[in-house]
Amino acid sequence: MRRYPEMVDLVRRANEAGKVIAAICHAVWMLASAEIIRGKKVTCFFSIKDDVVHAGGLYRDEEVVVDGNIITSRIPDDLPAFLRAIIDALQR
């Protein structure tokens, strides 16, 4: 999806509007492409850690990381914590 400028722009605009942005595993690449992780604490699948860091993300090796409206997780095993964080953010 990050290869399509319209999708990248959609994520960028959603972030600018303060919407909840959630990404797990390799989906954090989309956030990097949308240029919305600079200075933000994030996590991702370990193999793209360097990409996240080069995009300005502050990498954390944790099951779920919440920084403002951005919620990230590493792997499918982290789904319970990831989904709890999303539900919590949507209830605010």
Side-chain angles (χ1 to χ4, degrees), residues 9 23 26 32 57 63 85-86:
D9 188 54
H26 293 78
E63 66 181 352
I86 293 169

Side-chain angles (χ1 to χ4, degrees), residues 55-90:
L58 307 173
Y59 177 79
R60 303 289 188 265
D61 184 15
E62 300 171 17
E63 66 181 352
V64 66
V65 175
V66 179
D67 191 338
N69 63 312
I70 297 177
I71 303 166
T72 54
S73 276
R74 303 170 298 188
I75 56 176
D77 287 347
D78 297 336
L79 276 169
F82 182 59
L83 295 175
R84 280 191 300 273
I86 293 169
I87 291 166
D88 182 55
L90 292 173

Side-chain angles (χ1 to χ4, degrees), residues 8-86:
V8 174
D9 188 54
L10 174 69
V11 172
R12 188 178 299 116
R13 286 185 287 116
N15 183 65
E16 289 168 357
K19 303 295 182 188
V20 173
I21 307 291
I24 190 169
C25 278
H26 293 78
V28 179
W29 263 336
M30 172 62 89
L31 310 187
S33 293
E35 300 178 4
I36 64 171
I37 60 171
R38 182 165 306 284
K40 296 284 188 173
K41 292 176 281 192
V42 294
T43 194
C44 60
F45 191 71
F46 73 93
S47 68
I48 67 167
K49 172 190 169 201
D50 290 346
D51 300 313
V52 165
V53 171
H54 291 295
L58 307 173
Y59 177 79
R60 303 289 188 265
D61 184 15
E62 300 171 17
E63 66 181 352
V64 66
V65 175
V66 179
D67 191 338
N69 63 312
I70 297 177
I71 303 166
T72 54
S73 276
R74 303 170 298 188
I75 56 176
D77 287 347
D78 297 336
L79 276 169
F82 182 59
L83 295 175
R84 280 191 300 273
I86 293 169

